[in-house]
Amino acid sequence: MKKIQLKILETSDVHGAIFPIHYGTNEPAAHGLARLSTAIKKVRKESDDVLLIDNGDFLQGTPLASFYFRSLRRGIHPMIKAMNALQYDAAVLGNHEFNYGLEILDKASQDANFPFLSANTLHKKTHQPYFGQPYIIKSFAGGIKAAVLGITTGYIPNWEKPEHISELIFTDAVAAADKWVRYIREVEKPDMMIVSYHGGFEVDLSKKERIEMKEKGENQAYRICTEVEGIDVLLTGHQHRIAAEFVNGVAVVQPGFSGTAIGQVTAEFHVSQEKIELGNVSIEIIEAKDFEADRAILELAQEEEKQAQQWLDEVIGTIEGDMQIDDPFQARLKEHPLIELVNRVQMEAAQTDISCTALFHNEAKGLPSKATMRDIVSNYIYPNSLAVIEITGEEMKRALERSASYFTILPDGRAGVSSKFSYPKPQHYNYDMWEGINYTINVHQAPGSRIEKLTYHGEPVEADRLYRVVMNNYRAGGGGDYFMFKGKKVIKEIQDDMAELLANYIKSHGTIKAEVNHNWRVVY
């Protein structure tokens, strides 16, 4: 009887990060697909049988990716070029793959030398997997057969622009996994069943406590591990966590985001003439920081990177005063000129007088005195457009209460971030700050009862009165658990990318004053 090893490598949530740099500063970073390439090549050199899978969210996320979508759409996406060179076996669709619509996604699929998998992303007319293949079968030494089934979080309709997914339906991830695992086991009879699910865990694995509403269905990895029989390995993502553990006997890995790590599963098979048996399975995380960037991968995207860097360095205007961010929490606790500017731009573009937006991530540095496109896209990192929706005063208050639950009071009496916005995935982008209304957040009160002194034009906001509010398309669709917005009447859509709107506003005004009008405050 022979022993044969199969190594399964997973990348996930790379988000267009090829180069090992922070685009906001161009300083070196311990991440990126070029670093991971060196690790992948090392594993392949040491092992005969290797399976390489990307678990989704690979097309969108860096200024390089943004520049491709703005200016280079007819060429091959830099990430696809790099993944082709690395000979990926398959890639699963993540939620951000749909951010630029199906035409762009279709092109990426055609340019890729590997299949896009998603068993529960179906064509609306045929109810068949949109890209045809829900799974792949790969054969290795000794006749070993490994199956890889792709599953995508079914929560996408709650985030994505309807026109981007109008031809699609997304079915429940657990039901799809159960259906296809049974089918693959019965028909293909693989020696190893791998499910690659672009989604994370709805349960805190250490405490076995639910961390997500049961009916939400954004992350269902725990249910997949415990309710679907026949899975040997579950590759996960979406939550941007680092994880390597066994759940109900299933080997589970999740490798962070932006190419910070690779998840590795090593499976040992006992092979004889009569049968193939799966033996010991081990799991680990390989970190990018331990590897130098692969020059061959960098060179593939060098021309696009050069053009993107030139675009990023374009000075678009002057900031008078201080619009920089030293402490992102303080920029959420008290009014900040950057947030004021974003809301101002949204209101002007939409011709409405109420707006809300978020400070999307903790790496946002604000705008320096000479603002460039690099500063814009480093602060406003998502390809959002805008929508004006009509909501009642009661729904406005519920939305404000959702935002107000971002805060908690720490043991020393200081304000801090609620664990619901920081674990298992940081969700700072789900705390909104509003303009055009006045309100107070009283953190001493229980969540759901924190909004006080809510007024519009000096008068109390009326529960049954309709108000028009501009916000990004993600929020307008109910994204971030703002269910009170979902399905609301859209009065107006502004299809221009919000980063472009910001840049054009600054260019047209030349000089922007860093100022706030103190229309809201947090009491703690």
Side-chain angles (χ1 to χ4, degrees):
M1 181 173 288
K2 291 195 303 183
K3 288 185 180 180
I4 295 177
Q5 265 192 0
L6 170 62
K7 289 188 183 290
I8 302 141
L9 301 180
E10 177 207 10
T11 57
S12 189
D13 300 272
V14 177
H15 285 291
I18 297 174
F19 288 76
I21 58 172
H22 295 291
Y23 278 96
T25 61
N26 267 352
E27 293 295 317
H31 67 223
L33 191 59
R35 282 184 184 265
L36 296 186
S37 173
T38 304
I40 291 165
K41 289 179 178 179
K42 181 176 183 291
V43 172
R44 281 184 170 146
K45 188 175 181 179
E46 297 170 349
S47 308
D48 292 328
D49 295 312
V50 177
L51 185 61
L52 178 60
I53 305 294
D54 186 87
N55 190 58
D57 280 5
F58 50 92
L59 290 177
Q60 173 274 343
T62 57
L64 172 59
S66 296
F67 184 72
Y68 168 81
F69 289 121
R70 286 180 171 89
S71 307
L72 304 170
R73 292 187 178 201
R74 282 174 290 193
I76 299 176
H77 193 295
M79 275 294 295
I80 297 296
K81 286 202 282 188
M83 293 169 76
N84 282 344
L86 282 167
Q87 298 180 313
Y88 271 77
D89 292 290
V92 176
L93 296 177
N95 50 293
H96 283 288
E97 262 65 76
F98 299 92
N99 284 172
Y100 293 92
L102 289 184
E103 183 179 348
I104 289 291
L105 184 54
D106 288 343
K107 183 182 186 311
S109 175
Q110 292 161 10
D111 290 338
N113 296 337
F114 49 89
F116 286 8
L117 307 179
S118 183
N120 64 321
T121 300
L122 310 181
H123 198 289
K124 189 175 287 185
K125 291 182 180 178
T126 66
H127 284 221
Q128 296 300 310
Y130 183 74
F131 283 111
Q133 282 185 259
Y135 66 91
I136 59 169
I137 301 291
K138 301 289 288 189
S139 297
F140 299 95
I144 295 167
K145 285 174 62 177
V148 182
L149 172 66
I151 303 283
T152 303
T153 176
Y155 208 63
I156 289 171
N158 293 280
W159 303 312
E160 194 51 72
K161 294 180 183 178
E163 62 267 26
H164 286 173
I165 54 174
S166 60
E167 298 177 33
L168 305 176
I169 55 175
F170 299 87
T171 62
D172 179 72
V174 180
D178 184 57
K179 168 188 171 181
W180 283 102
V181 168
R182 281 190 288 106
Y183 173 86
I184 293 166
R185 283 290 190 188
E186 291 171 8
V187 175
E188 304 286 0
K189 299 185 177 3
D191 302 300
M192 171 168 267
M193 183 70 237
I194 303 159
V195 175
S196 186
Y197 166 52
H198 187 82
F201 281 91
E202 70 278 33
V203 168
D204 182 325
L205 297 178
S206 62
K207 301 177 182 177
K208 299 296 187 287
E209 294 176 353
R210 179 166 289 278
I211 55 177
E212 188 176 276
M213 291 182 296
K214 187 174 182 179
E215 67 274 11
K216 186 178 179 184
E218 177 181 350
N219 299 293
Q220 297 176 292
Y222 189 76
R223 285 190 61 199
I224 291 173
C225 285
T226 56
E227 297 179 22
V228 180
E229 294 184 4
I231 300 174
D232 299 305
V233 175
L234 181 64
L235 310 178
T236 66
H238 185 58
Q239 289 174 319
H240 294 191
R241 295 173 62 195
I242 296 285
E245 48 197 302
F246 287 87
V247 180
N248 194 36
V250 179
V252 177
V253 288
Q254 186 172 148
F257 67 103
S258 293
T260 54
I262 296 172
Q264 177 176 286
V265 180
T266 302
E268 190 176 85
F269 293 87
H270 304 286
V271 180
S272 67
Q273 288 186 338
E274 294 79 27
K275 61 183 177 179
I276 298 172
E277 290 184 332
L278 177 61
N280 183 60
V281 177
S282 60
I283 51 180
E284 64 179 297
I285 297 295
I286 302 172
E287 295 188 74
K289 67 180 178 63
D290 296 328
F291 298 90
E292 295 296 320
D294 182 348
R295 298 302 308 175
I297 295 297
L298 296 180
E299 287 170 8
L300 284 174
Q302 197 64 57
E303 184 55 38
E304 293 92 337
E305 175 73 2
K306 179 181 176 182
Q307 293 181 55
Q309 289 287 351
Q310 290 171 346
W311 169 67
L312 288 169
D313 286 333
E314 176 193 351
V315 175
I316 57 174
T318 300
I319 306 300
E320 184 181 300
D322 185 5
M323 202 178 284
Q324 294 186 292
I325 296 173
D326 298 318
D327 182 336
F329 181 71
Q330 289 299 316
R332 299 184 180 100
L333 189 65
K334 299 176 182 178
E335 284 191 75
H336 191 278
L338 177 67
I339 302 303
E340 194 96 358
L341 173 63
V342 174
N343 273 323
R344 200 187 317 157
V345 171
Q346 291 188 172
M347 290 189 291
E348 181 176 288
Q351 292 298 292
T352 191
D353 64 352
I354 307 177
S355 172
C356 63
T357 191
L359 180 65
F360 295 119
H361 64 137
N362 281 349
E363 287 69 45
K365 299 301 181 185
L367 300 179
S369 59
K370 294 296 181 184
T372 65
M373 279 302 303
R374 185 184 307 280
D375 300 312
I376 297 295
V377 300
S378 295
N379 285 282
Y380 206 106
I381 58 175
Y382 297 115
N384 291 332
S385 59
L386 299 176
V388 178
I389 62 172
E390 204 166 53
I391 62 174
T392 65
E394 190 269 336
E395 289 162 339
M396 180 190 296
K397 186 174 186 297
R398 281 166 50 202
L400 288 163
E401 292 287 2
R402 161 68 178 148
S403 285
S405 67
Y406 177 79
F407 297 105
T408 189
I409 295 181
L410 302 174
D412 62 4
R414 292 181 298 120
V417 179
S418 166
S419 61
K420 292 183 178 179
F421 285 79
S422 57
Y423 181 83
K425 176 182 177 180
Q427 296 183 49
H428 304 296
Y429 51 82
N430 283 331
Y431 166 65
D432 286 341
M433 291 157 279
W434 290 58
E435 191 62 43
I437 56 174
N438 288 67
Y439 61 96
T440 296
I441 297 174
N442 187 346
V443 188
H444 291 287
Q445 299 300 320
S449 304
R450 289 178 167 177
I451 299 301
E452 301 174 348
K453 302 174 183 177
L454 175 58
T455 63
Y456 172 67
H457 290 179
E459 298 294 328
V461 168
E462 300 173 34
D464 56 355
R465 178 180 169 182
L466 291 174
Y467 299 85
R468 293 185 175 186
V469 186
V470 60
M471 59 190 72
N472 66 60
N473 60 284
Y474 169 81
R475 188 69 81 237
D481 294 346
Y482 285 80
F483 303 117
M484 69 292 299
F485 296 154
K486 187 172 176 60
K488 287 298 172 185
K489 181 180 179 181
V490 177
I491 305 300
K492 183 189 298 184
E493 291 183 272
I494 296 88
Q495 295 291 353
D496 294 338
D497 186 290
M498 187 56 196
E500 294 289 348
L501 288 174
L502 275 165
N504 291 337
Y505 182 93
I506 295 172
K507 284 179 183 178
S508 65
H509 287 75
T511 298
I512 303 294
K513 288 186 177 181
E515 55 189 3
V516 297
N517 62 2
H518 305 291
N519 67 297
W520 61 268
R521 67 188 186 115
V522 179
V523 176
Y524 58 95

